[in-house]
């Protein structure tokens, strides 16, 4: 039902779907796309999805629907999200508990190319980009810079 509510050109994809455990459940759908997702696209998907829910469960179904895009502070959850952030700085939490920060040089089908920035004495040094498999990344966030 959710996939049928997305544009047929494949420009948007579902990043997460959450349903609260409440008397009147809140359904939160987070969408993204390689070019990002705008408020008009969220509204269009919301209308389509609400129509489908009404068809399936009747207009008396009690729920709250929220269709949104990931916030700037939200972790990247889908491999397709990385493409849009090439050239930006990422902060990674690795599966082994370590952390890395560096420039996202490329997104590949199996992982990312990251040019890690490390501190040596009182200087910062950028290492050559290496492939980091998605399976080694437990969380990735874009570092927001106001420079």
């Amino acid at each position: 039902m959710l996939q049928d509510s997305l544009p047929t050109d494949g420009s948007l994809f579902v990043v997460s779907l959450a349903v609260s455990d409440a008397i009147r459940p809140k359904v939160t759908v987070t969408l993204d796309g390689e070019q990002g997702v705008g408020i008009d696209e969220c509204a269009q998907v919301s209308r389509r999805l609400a129509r489908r829910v009404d068809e399936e469960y009747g207009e008396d179904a009690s729920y709250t629907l929220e269709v949104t895009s990931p916030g700037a502070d939200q972790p990247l959850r889908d491999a397709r999200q990385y493409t849009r952030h090439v050239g930006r700085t990422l902060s990674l939490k690795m599966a082994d508990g370590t952390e890395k920060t560096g420039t996202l040089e490329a997104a590949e089908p199996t992982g990312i190319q990251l040019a890690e920035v490390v501190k040596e004495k009182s200087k910062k040094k950028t290492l050559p980009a290496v492939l980091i498999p998605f399976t080694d990344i437990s969380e990735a966030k874009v570092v927001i810079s106001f420079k």
Side-chain angles (χ1 to χ4, degrees), residues 18-28 50 54 59-66:
V19 180
S20 70
D21 188 23
I23 294 171
R24 182 176 181 179
K26 179 179 179 182
V27 178
T28 304
D54 290 347
E59 293 182 17
D60 294 335
S62 180
Y63 67 96
T64 302
L65 176 62
E66 178 181 72

Side-chain angles (χ1 to χ4, degrees), residues 39-52:
I39 192 165
D40 292 338
E41 293 164 309
C42 287
Q44 184 179 30
V45 171
S46 179
R47 285 190 297 272
R48 287 180 185 167
L49 189 54
R51 199 171 321 124
R52 292 291 311 270

Side-chain angles (χ1 to χ4, degrees), residues 9-30:
D9 64 3
S11 60
L12 298 179
F13 53 88
V14 178
V15 175
S16 68
L17 172 66
V19 180
S20 70
D21 188 23
I23 294 171
R24 182 176 181 179
K26 179 179 179 182
V27 178
T28 304
V29 179
T30 305

